[in-house]
Coordinates of all heavy atoms in Angstrom, one line a residue:
T191 N 9.4 -5.9 25.8 CA 10.0 -7.2 26.0 C 10.6 -7.8 24.8 O 10.4 -7.3 23.7 CB 8.9 -8.2 26.5 OG1 8.0 -8.5 25.5 CG2 8.2 -7.7 27.7
D192 N 11.5 -8.8 24.9 CA 12.1 -9.4 23.8 C 11.1 -10.0 22.8 O 11.2 -9.8 21.6 CB 13.0 -10.6 24.2 CG 14.2 -10.1 25.0 OD1 14.3 -8.9 25.2 OD2 15.0 -10.9 25.5
R193 N 10.1 -10.6 23.3 CA 9.0 -11.2 22.4 C 8.3 -10.1 21.7 O 7.9 -10.3 20.5 CB 8.1 -12.1 23.3 CG 8.8 -13.3 23.8 CD 7.7 -14.3 24.5 NE 6.8 -14.8 23.5 CZ 7.1 -15.8 22.7 NH1 8.2 -16.4 22.8 NH2 6.2 -16.2 21.8
Q194 N 8.0 -9.0 22.4 CA 7.3 -7.9 21.7 C 8.1 -7.3 20.5 O 7.6 -7.0 19.5 CB 6.9 -6.8 22.7 CG 5.8 -7.3 23.6 CD 5.6 -6.3 24.8 OE1 6.4 -5.4 25.0 NE2 4.5 -6.6 25.6
I195 N 9.4 -7.2 20.8 CA 10.3 -6.6 19.7 C 10.4 -7.6 18.5 O 10.3 -7.2 17.4 CB 11.7 -6.3 20.3 CG1 11.6 -5.2 21.4 CG2 12.6 -5.9 19.2 CD1 12.9 -5.0 22.1
W196 N 10.5 -8.9 18.8 CA 10.6 -9.9 17.8 C 9.3 -9.9 17.0 O 9.3 -10.0 15.8 CB 10.9 -11.2 18.4 CG 11.4 -12.2 17.4 CD1 10.8 -12.7 16.3 CD2 12.7 -12.9 17.4 NE1 11.6 -13.6 15.6 CE2 12.8 -13.8 16.2 CE3 13.8 -12.9 18.2 CZ2 13.8 -14.6 16.0 CZ3 14.9 -13.7 17.9 CH2 14.9 -14.5 16.8
A197 N 8.2 -9.9 17.7 CA 6.9 -9.9 17.1 C 6.6 -8.7 16.2 O 6.1 -8.8 15.1 CB 5.8 -10.0 18.1
A198 N 7.1 -7.5 16.7 CA 7.0 -6.3 15.8 C 7.8 -6.4 14.6 O 7.3 -6.0 13.5 CB 7.4 -5.1 16.7
M199 N 9.0 -7.0 14.6 CA 9.8 -7.1 13.4 C 9.1 -8.1 12.4 O 9.2 -7.9 11.2 CB 11.2 -7.6 13.8 CG 12.1 -6.6 14.5 SD 13.8 -7.0 14.6 CE 13.7 -8.1 16.1
L200 N 8.5 -9.1 12.9 CA 7.8 -10.1 12.0 C 6.5 -9.6 11.4 O 6.2 -9.9 10.3 CB 7.5 -11.4 12.8 CG 8.7 -12.3 13.1 CD1 8.2 -13.5 13.9 CD2 9.4 -12.8 11.8
S201 N 5.8 -8.7 12.2 CA 4.5 -8.3 11.8 C 4.4 -6.9 11.2 O 3.4 -6.6 10.5 CB 3.5 -8.5 12.9 OG 3.9 -7.7 14.0
G202 N 5.3 -6.0 11.5 CA 5.3 -4.7 11.0 C 4.1 -3.9 11.4 O 3.3 -3.5 10.5
P203 N 3.8 -3.7 12.7 CA 2.6 -2.9 13.1 C 2.7 -1.5 12.7 O 3.7 -0.9 12.6 CB 2.6 -3.1 14.6 CG 4.1 -3.2 15.0 CD 4.7 -4.0 13.8
Q204 N 1.5 -0.9 12.4 CA 1.3 0.5 12.1 C 2.2 0.8 10.9 O 2.1 0.2 9.8 CB 1.6 1.4 13.3 CG 0.8 1.1 14.5 CD -0.7 1.4 14.4 OE1 -1.5 0.8 15.0 NE2 -1.0 2.4 13.5
N205 N 3.1 1.8 11.0 CA 3.9 2.3 9.9 C 5.2 1.5 9.8 O 6.0 1.8 8.9 CB 4.2 3.8 10.0 CG 3.0 4.6 9.9 OD1 2.0 4.2 9.2 ND2 3.0 5.8 10.5
M206 N 5.4 0.6 10.7 CA 6.7 -0.1 10.7 C 6.8 -1.1 9.5 O 5.8 -1.9 9.3 CB 6.9 -0.9 12.0 CG 8.2 -1.6 12.1 SD 8.4 -2.3 13.8 CE 9.8 -3.4 13.6
P207 N 7.9 -1.2 8.8 CA 8.0 -2.3 7.8 C 8.1 -3.6 8.4 O 8.5 -3.8 9.5 CB 9.3 -1.8 7.0 CG 10.1 -1.1 8.0 CD 9.1 -0.4 8.9
V208 N 7.8 -4.6 7.6 CA 7.9 -6.0 8.0 C 9.4 -6.5 7.8 O 9.9 -6.3 6.7 CB 7.0 -7.0 7.3 CG1 7.2 -8.4 7.6 CG2 5.5 -6.6 7.6
F209 N 10.0 -7.0 8.8 CA 11.3 -7.6 8.6 C 11.2 -9.1 8.8 O 11.4 -9.7 9.8 CB 12.3 -7.0 9.7 CG 12.6 -5.6 9.6 CD1 11.9 -4.6 10.3 CD2 13.5 -5.1 8.6 CE1 12.2 -3.3 10.2 CE2 13.7 -3.8 8.4 CZ 13.1 -2.8 9.2
G210 N 10.8 -9.7 7.7 CA 10.8 -11.2 7.7 C 12.1 -11.8 7.7 O 13.2 -11.1 7.7
D211 N 12.2 -13.1 7.8 CA 13.5 -13.8 7.9 C 14.3 -13.7 6.7 O 15.5 -13.9 6.7 CB 13.2 -15.3 8.3 CG 12.7 -15.5 9.7 OD1 12.8 -14.5 10.5 OD2 12.2 -16.6 10.0
N212 N 13.7 -13.2 5.6 CA 14.5 -13.0 4.4 C 15.2 -11.6 4.4 O 16.1 -11.3 3.7 CB 13.7 -13.2 3.1 CG 12.5 -12.3 3.1 OD1 12.0 -11.9 4.2 ND2 12.0 -12.0 1.9
Q213 N 14.6 -10.7 5.2 CA 15.2 -9.4 5.4 C 16.2 -9.4 6.5 O 17.4 -8.9 6.4 CB 14.2 -8.3 5.6 CG 13.4 -7.9 4.4 CD 12.2 -8.7 4.2 OE1 11.7 -9.3 5.1 NE2 11.7 -8.7 2.9
L214 N 15.8 -9.9 7.7 CA 16.7 -10.0 8.8 C 16.6 -11.4 9.3 O 15.5 -11.9 9.7 CB 16.3 -9.0 10.0 CG 16.5 -7.5 9.8 CD1 15.9 -6.7 10.9 CD2 18.0 -7.3 9.7
S215 N 17.6 -12.2 9.3 CA 17.6 -13.6 9.7 C 17.3 -13.6 11.2 O 17.4 -12.6 12.0 CB 18.9 -14.2 9.5 OG 19.9 -13.7 10.3
P216 N 16.8 -14.8 11.7 CA 16.6 -14.9 13.2 C 17.8 -14.6 14.0 O 17.7 -14.0 15.1 CB 16.2 -16.4 13.3 CG 15.6 -16.8 12.0 CD 16.4 -16.0 11.0
E217 N 19.0 -14.9 13.5 CA 20.2 -14.6 14.2 C 20.4 -13.1 14.3 O 20.8 -12.5 15.4 CB 21.4 -15.2 13.6 CG 21.5 -16.7 13.6 CD 20.5 -17.4 12.6 OE1 20.1 -16.7 11.7 OE2 20.3 -18.6 12.8
E218 N 20.1 -12.3 13.2 CA 20.2 -10.9 13.2 C 19.1 -10.2 14.1 O 19.4 -9.2 14.8 CB 20.1 -10.4 11.8 CG 21.3 -10.7 11.0 CD 21.1 -10.3 9.5 OE1 20.0 -10.4 9.0 OE2 22.1 -10.0 8.9
K219 N 17.9 -10.8 14.2 CA 16.9 -10.3 15.1 C 17.4 -10.4 16.5 O 17.2 -9.5 17.4 CB 15.6 -11.0 14.9 CG 14.9 -10.7 13.5 CD 13.6 -11.5 13.5 CE 12.8 -11.1 12.2 NZ 13.4 -11.6 11.0
A220 N 18.0 -11.6 16.8 CA 18.5 -11.8 18.2 C 19.6 -10.8 18.6 O 19.7 -10.4 19.7 CB 19.0 -13.3 18.3
E221 N 20.4 -10.5 17.6 CA 21.5 -9.5 17.8 C 20.9 -8.1 18.1 O 21.4 -7.3 18.9 CB 22.5 -9.5 16.7 CG 23.3 -10.8 16.6 CD 24.0 -11.0 15.3 OE1 23.8 -10.2 14.3 OE2 24.8 -12.0 15.1
I222 N 19.9 -7.7 17.3 CA 19.3 -6.4 17.5 C 18.7 -6.3 18.9 O 18.8 -5.3 19.6 CB 18.2 -6.1 16.5 CG1 18.9 -5.9 15.1 CG2 17.3 -4.9 16.8 CD1 17.9 -5.7 13.9
I223 N 18.0 -7.4 19.4 CA 17.5 -7.4 20.7 C 18.6 -7.3 21.8 O 18.4 -6.7 22.8 CB 16.6 -8.7 20.9 CG1 15.4 -8.6 20.0 CG2 16.2 -8.9 22.4 CD1 14.5 -9.8 20.0
A224 N 19.7 -8.0 21.5 CA 20.8 -7.9 22.4 C 21.3 -6.4 22.5 O 21.6 -5.9 23.6 CB 22.0 -8.8 22.0
Y225 N 21.3 -5.7 21.4 CA 21.7 -4.3 21.5 C 20.7 -3.5 22.2 O 21.1 -2.6 23.0 CB 21.9 -3.8 20.0 CG 22.1 -2.3 20.0 CD1 23.3 -1.7 20.3 CD2 21.1 -1.4 19.5 CE1 23.5 -0.4 20.3 CE2 21.3 -0.1 19.5 CZ 22.5 0.5 19.8 OH 22.7 1.8 19.8
I226 N 19.4 -3.7 22.0 CA 18.4 -2.9 22.8 C 18.5 -3.2 24.3 O 18.3 -2.3 25.1 CB 17.0 -3.3 22.2 CG1 16.9 -2.8 20.7 CG2 15.9 -2.6 23.0 CD1 15.7 -3.2 20.0
Q227 N 18.7 -4.5 24.6 CA 19.0 -4.8 26.0 C 20.1 -4.0 26.6 O 20.1 -3.5 27.7 CB 19.2 -6.3 26.2 CG 17.9 -7.1 26.1 CD 18.2 -8.6 26.4 OE1 19.4 -9.0 26.5 NE2 17.2 -9.4 26.5
R228 N 21.2 -3.9 25.8 CA 22.4 -3.2 26.3 C 22.1 -1.7 26.5 O 22.6 -1.0 27.4 CB 23.5 -3.4 25.3 CG 24.8 -2.7 25.7 CD 25.5 -3.3 26.9 NE 25.8 -4.7 26.7 CZ 26.9 -5.2 26.0 NH1 27.8 -4.3 25.6 NH2 27.0 -6.5 25.9
L229 N 21.3 -1.1 25.6 CA 20.8 0.3 25.7 C 20.2 0.5 27.1 O 20.4 1.5 27.8 CB 19.9 0.7 24.6 CG 20.5 1.0 23.2 CD1 19.3 1.4 22.3 CD2 21.4 2.2 23.3
D230 N 19.3 -0.4 27.4 CA 18.5 -0.3 28.7 C 19.4 -0.4 29.9 O 19.3 0.2 30.9 CB 17.4 -1.4 28.7 CG 16.4 -1.1 29.7 OD1 16.1 0.1 30.0 OD2 15.8 -2.0 30.3
E231 N 20.5 -1.3 29.8 CA 21.4 -1.5 30.9 C 22.4 -0.3 31.0 O 22.7 0.1 32.1 CB 22.1 -2.8 30.7 CG 21.3 -4.0 30.7 CD 22.0 -5.3 30.3 OE1 23.2 -5.2 29.9 OE2 21.4 -6.4 30.2
D232 N 22.8 0.2 29.9 CA 23.9 1.2 29.9 C 23.4 2.6 30.3 O 24.2 3.5 30.5 CB 24.6 1.2 28.6 CG 25.5 0.0 28.4 OD1 25.6 -0.8 29.3 OD2 25.9 -0.2 27.2
G233 N 22.1 2.8 30.3 CA 21.6 4.2 30.5 C 21.8 5.0 29.3 O 21.4 4.7 28.2
D234 N 22.4 6.2 29.5 CA 22.6 7.1 28.4 C 23.8 6.6 27.4 O 24.9 6.4 27.9 CB 23.0 8.5 28.9 CG 21.8 9.0 29.7 OD1 20.7 9.2 29.2 OD2 22.1 9.3 30.9
P235 N 23.5 6.5 26.2 CA 24.5 6.1 25.2 C 25.6 7.1 25.0 O 25.5 8.0 24.2 CB 23.8 5.8 23.9 CG 22.6 6.7 24.0 CD 22.3 6.8 25.5
G236 N 26.7 7.0 25.7 CA 27.8 7.9 25.5 C 27.8 9.2 26.4 O 28.7 10.0 26.3
G237 N 26.8 9.3 27.2 CA 26.7 10.5 28.1 C 26.6 10.2 29.5 O 26.4 9.0 29.9
V238 N 26.7 11.2 30.4 CA 26.6 10.9 31.9 C 25.6 11.8 32.6 O 25.3 11.5 33.8 CB 28.0 11.1 32.5 CG1 29.0 10.1 32.0 CG2 28.5 12.5 32.2
F239 N 25.0 12.8 31.9 CA 24.2 13.7 32.7 C 22.7 13.5 32.4 O 21.8 14.3 32.8 CB 24.5 15.2 32.3 CG 25.9 15.5 32.8 CD1 26.9 15.8 31.9 CD2 26.2 15.5 34.2 CE1 28.2 16.2 32.3 CE2 27.5 15.9 34.6 CZ 28.5 16.2 33.7
N240 N 22.3 12.5 31.6 CA 20.9 12.2 31.4 C 20.1 13.3 30.7 O 19.0 13.6 31.1 CB 20.2 11.8 32.7 CG 18.9 11.1 32.4 OD1 18.7 10.5 31.4 ND2 18.0 11.2 33.4
L241 N 20.7 13.9 29.7 CA 20.0 15.0 29.0 C 19.3 14.4 27.8 O 19.7 14.5 26.7 CB 21.1 16.1 28.5 CG 21.8 16.8 29.6 CD1 22.8 17.8 29.0 CD2 20.9 17.4 30.6
G242 N 18.1 13.9 28.1 CA 17.3 13.3 27.0 C 17.7 12.0 26.5 O 17.1 11.5 25.5
R243 N 18.7 11.4 27.1 CA 19.2 10.1 26.6 C 19.6 10.1 25.1 O 19.4 9.2 24.4 CB 18.2 9.0 26.8 CG 18.1 8.5 28.2 CD 17.1 7.4 28.4 NE 17.3 6.3 27.5 CZ 18.1 5.3 27.7 NH1 18.8 5.2 28.8 NH2 18.3 4.3 26.8
H244 N 20.2 11.3 24.7 CA 20.6 11.4 23.3 C 22.1 11.3 23.2 O 22.7 11.7 22.2 CB 20.1 12.7 22.7 CG 18.6 12.7 22.6 ND1 18.0 11.8 21.7 CD2 17.6 13.4 23.1 CE1 16.7 12.0 21.8 NE2 16.4 13.0 22.6
G245 N 22.8 10.9 24.3 CA 24.2 10.8 24.2 C 25.0 12.1 24.4 O 24.5 13.1 24.9
P246 N 26.3 12.1 24.0 CA 27.1 13.3 24.3 C 26.8 14.5 23.5 O 27.3 15.6 23.8 CB 28.5 12.7 23.9 CG 28.3 11.7 22.9 CD 27.0 11.0 23.3
A247 N 26.0 14.4 22.4 CA 25.8 15.6 21.6 C 25.0 16.6 22.4 O 25.4 17.8 22.4 CB 25.0 15.2 20.4
T248 N 23.9 16.3 23.1 CA 23.2 17.3 23.8 C 24.0 17.8 25.0 O 23.9 18.9 25.4 CB 21.9 16.6 24.3 OG1 22.1 15.4 25.0 CG2 20.9 16.3 23.2
E249 N 24.8 16.9 25.6 CA 25.6 17.3 26.7 C 26.7 18.3 26.3 O 26.9 19.3 27.0 CB 26.2 16.1 27.4 CG 25.2 15.2 28.0 CD 25.7 14.0 28.6 OE1 27.0 13.8 28.6 OE2 25.0 13.1 29.1
G250 N 27.3 18.1 25.1 CA 28.3 19.0 24.6 C 27.7 20.4 24.3 O 28.3 21.4 24.6
L251 N 26.4 20.3 23.7 CA 25.7 21.6 23.4 C 25.4 22.4 24.7 O 25.6 23.6 24.8 CB 24.5 21.3 22.6 CG 23.6 22.5 22.3 CD1 24.4 23.5 21.4 CD2 22.3 22.1 21.6
A252 N 25.0 21.6 25.7 CA 24.7 22.3 27.0 C 25.9 22.9 27.6 O 25.9 24.1 28.1 CB 24.0 21.3 27.9
I253 N 27.0 22.2 27.6 CA 28.3 22.7 28.2 C 28.7 23.9 27.4 O 29.2 24.9 27.9 CB 29.3 21.6 28.2 CG1 28.9 20.5 29.2 CG2 30.7 22.1 28.5 CD1 29.8 19.2 29.1
F254 N 28.6 23.8 26.1 CA 29.0 25.0 25.2 C 28.2 26.2 25.6 O 28.8 27.3 25.8 CB 28.8 24.6 23.8 CG 29.1 25.8 22.8 CD1 30.3 26.2 22.5 CD2 28.0 26.4 22.2 CE1 30.6 27.2 21.6 CE2 28.2 27.5 21.4 CZ 29.5 27.9 21.1
L255 N 26.9 26.1 25.7 CA 26.0 27.2 26.0 C 26.3 27.8 27.4 O 26.4 29.0 27.6 CB 24.6 26.8 25.9 CG 24.1 26.5 24.5 CD1 22.6 26.0 24.5 CD2 24.2 27.7 23.6
V256 N 26.5 26.9 28.4 CA 26.8 27.4 29.7 C 28.2 28.1 29.7 O 28.3 29.1 30.4 CB 26.8 26.2 30.7 CG1 27.4 26.6 32.1 CG2 25.4 25.6 30.9
G257 N 29.1 27.5 29.0 CA 30.5 28.1 28.9 C 30.4 29.5 28.3 O 31.1 30.5 28.8
I258 N 29.7 29.6 27.2 CA 29.6 30.9 26.5 C 29.0 32.0 27.4 O 29.4 33.1 27.5 CB 28.9 30.8 25.1 CG1 29.7 30.0 24.1 CG2 28.5 32.1 24.6 CD1 31.0 30.7 23.7
V259 N 27.8 31.6 28.0 CA 27.2 32.5 28.9 C 28.0 32.9 30.0 O 28.1 34.1 30.4 CB 25.8 31.9 29.4 CG1 25.2 32.8 30.5 CG2 24.9 31.7 28.2
S260 N 28.8 32.0 30.6 CA 29.7 32.3 31.7 C 30.8 33.3 31.3 O 31.1 34.2 32.0 CB 30.3 31.0 32.2 OG 29.3 30.2 32.7
L261 N 31.3 33.1 30.1 CA 32.4 33.9 29.6 C 31.8 35.4 29.3 O 32.5 36.4 29.6 CB 33.0 33.4 28.3 CG 33.9 32.1 28.4 CD1 34.2 31.6 27.0 CD2 35.1 32.5 29.2
V262 N 30.6 35.5 28.8 CA 30.0 36.8 28.5 C 29.9 37.5 29.9 O 30.2 38.7 30.0 CB 28.7 36.6 27.8 CG1 27.9 38.0 27.8 CG2 28.9 36.1 26.4
F263 N 29.3 36.9 30.9 CA 29.1 37.5 32.2 C 30.4 37.9 32.8 O 30.6 39.0 33.4 CB 28.3 36.6 33.1 CG 26.8 36.8 32.9 CD1 26.1 35.8 32.2 CD2 26.1 37.9 33.3 CE1 24.7 35.9 32.0 CE2 24.8 38.0 33.2 CZ 24.1 37.0 32.5
A264 N 31.4 37.0 32.6 CA 32.7 37.3 33.2 C 33.4 38.5 32.5 O 34.0 39.4 33.1 CB 33.7 36.1 33.1
S265 N 33.2 38.6 31.2 CA 33.7 39.7 30.4 C 33.0 41.0 30.8 O 33.7 42.1 31.0 CB 33.5 39.5 28.9 OG 34.2 38.3 28.5
L266 N 31.7 41.0 31.0 CA 31.0 42.2 31.4 C 31.4 42.6 32.8 O 31.6 43.8 33.1 CB 29.5 41.9 31.4 CG 28.9 41.7 30.0 CD1 27.4 41.3 30.1 CD2 29.0 43.0 29.2
W267 N 31.6 41.6 33.7 CA 32.0 42.0 35.1 C 33.4 42.6 35.1 O 33.7 43.6 35.8 CB 32.0 40.7 35.9 CG 32.4 40.9 37.4 CD1 31.6 41.4 38.3 CD2 33.7 40.7 38.0 NE1 32.2 41.4 39.5 CE2 33.5 41.1 39.3 CE3 34.9 40.3 37.5 CZ2 34.6 41.0 40.2 CZ3 35.9 40.2 38.3 CH2 35.8 40.5 39.7
I268 N 34.3 42.0 34.3 CA 35.7 42.6 34.2 C 35.7 44.0 33.6 O 36.3 44.9 34.1 CB 36.6 41.7 33.4 CG1 36.8 40.3 34.1 CG2 37.9 42.3 33.1 CD1 37.5 39.3 33.3
A269 N 34.9 44.2 32.6 CA 34.7 45.5 31.9 C 34.2 46.5 32.9 O 34.6 47.7 33.0 CB 33.9 45.4 30.7
G270 N 33.2 46.1 33.7 CA 32.6 47.0 34.7 C 33.6 47.4 35.8 O 33.6 48.5 36.2
K271 N 34.4 46.5 36.2 CA 35.4 46.8 37.2 C 36.5 47.7 36.7 O 37.0 48.6 37.4 CB 36.1 45.5 37.7 CG 35.1 44.6 38.6 CD 34.8 45.3 39.9 CE 34.0 44.4 40.8 NZ 33.7 45.1 42.1

Side-chain angles (χ1 to χ4, degrees):
T191 67
D192 293 0
R193 294 188 64 83
Q194 288 168 353
I195 296 171
W196 197 300
M199 287 190 280
L200 284 177
S201 60
Q204 302 293 151
N205 293 334
M206 180 174 171
V208 175
F209 293 101
D211 289 345
N212 56 333
Q213 284 89 19
L214 289 174
S215 68
E217 293 76 16
E218 290 173 328
K219 290 183 175 69
E221 290 167 355
I222 290 175
I223 291 175
Y225 172 72
I226 295 172
Q227 284 185 350
R228 182 67 60 84
L229 280 180
D230 197 30
E231 294 169 0
D232 289 349
D234 298 299
V238 294
F239 294 116
N240 195 27
L241 298 180
R243 283 181 53 86
H244 292 296
T248 53
E249 296 176 4
L251 178 61
I253 292 171
F254 173 78
L255 293 175
V256 170
I258 289 294
V259 171
S260 300
L261 288 174
V262 169
F263 276 105
S265 301
L266 293 173
W267 183 79
I268 293 171
K271 288 293 184 180

